[in-house]
Amino acid sequence: MFFTSLFTDIKVRYLPEWFPGAGFQKKVKILRKTILEMPTIPFQLVKKELVSFLPWLVIDEDQTNAQAPETAKPSLTTTLLEEAYANSGDQKISEDEEELIRNPAGIVYAVGVILAALPHIQSRILRLTTHTEPHPDP
C-alpha cells in the first residue's frame, strides 16, 4: 500500500516524485507507456506484413526496403488498411485514419489476450475452491 493512499483529500498526482510515498508515479509512467504502445506494436507488425501485398506502401522513410513475411494473415487490421489504401487516391492514409484503424484493432487484440488467459484463470479458481486443504510445507 502506498503512503499517499491514506490521504484521499490531497491531490496526489501533483506530488513530486521525490516525495516519500509517491513511488507510484514511477509505476504509472511505465504503465502509461505500455498502455499507449499496446495498440501500436501489433499495428506496425501488420503494416510490415502488408508490404508484400502492397509494394508501394511505405511504412517509414527509413524502412522502405524492409523485409516482410510472404503473407499477411486476414484480420480486422489488414482488411481496414487495405480498404483505406484502396479508397485513398494518393496511396497514403492520414495519421487520423491510421489512428481510427489502430485503436479498435488494439482493443480487439487486448480482448483476445484476455480471452486466451481466461481458461487458465478459471482453472486456477476452480482448483483453489475445490482443494481447500492447506498445501504441505516442503
Side-chain angles (χ1 to χ4, degrees), residues 4 14-15 17 26-27 34 45 49 51-52 56 68 73-75 79 81 84-85 93 101 105 107 112 115 119:
T4 53
Y14 299 113
L15 289 175
E17 286 184 24
K26 292 177 185 173
K27 291 181 181 180
T34 304
L45 290 173
E49 289 178 357
V51 171
S52 62
W56 41 264
K73 296 177 184 174
S75 67
T79 304
L81 277 174
Y85 281 108
I93 58 174
I101 296 170
I107 291 169
L115 289 177

Side-chain angles (χ1 to χ4, degrees), residues 22 29 38 44 47-48 57 67-68 80 83 86 98 105 112 114-115 117 120 136-138:
K29 281 184 181 180
M38 191 267 308
Q44 291 299 327
K47 245 178 124 173
K48 284 181 184 178
L57 176 64
Q67 294 292 327
L80 293 175
E83 287 178 9
E98 271 194 13
I114 291 169
L115 289 177
H120 177 71
D137 291 330

Side-chain angles (χ1 to χ4, degrees), residues 80-126:
L80 293 175
L81 277 174
E82 286 172 353
E83 287 178 9
Y85 281 108
N87 292 336
S88 68
D90 58 354
Q91 298 177 344
K92 283 191 173 187
I93 58 174
S94 68
E95 288 286 325
D96 293 336
E97 287 177 308
E98 271 194 13
E99 187 176 350
L100 287 173
I101 296 170
R102 180 178 51 239
N103 290 340
I107 291 169
V108 169
Y109 178 77
V111 168
V113 169
I114 291 169
L115 289 177
L118 192 60
H120 177 71
I121 295 168
Q122 288 174 335
S123 67
R124 296 290 290 181
I125 292 171
L126 179 65

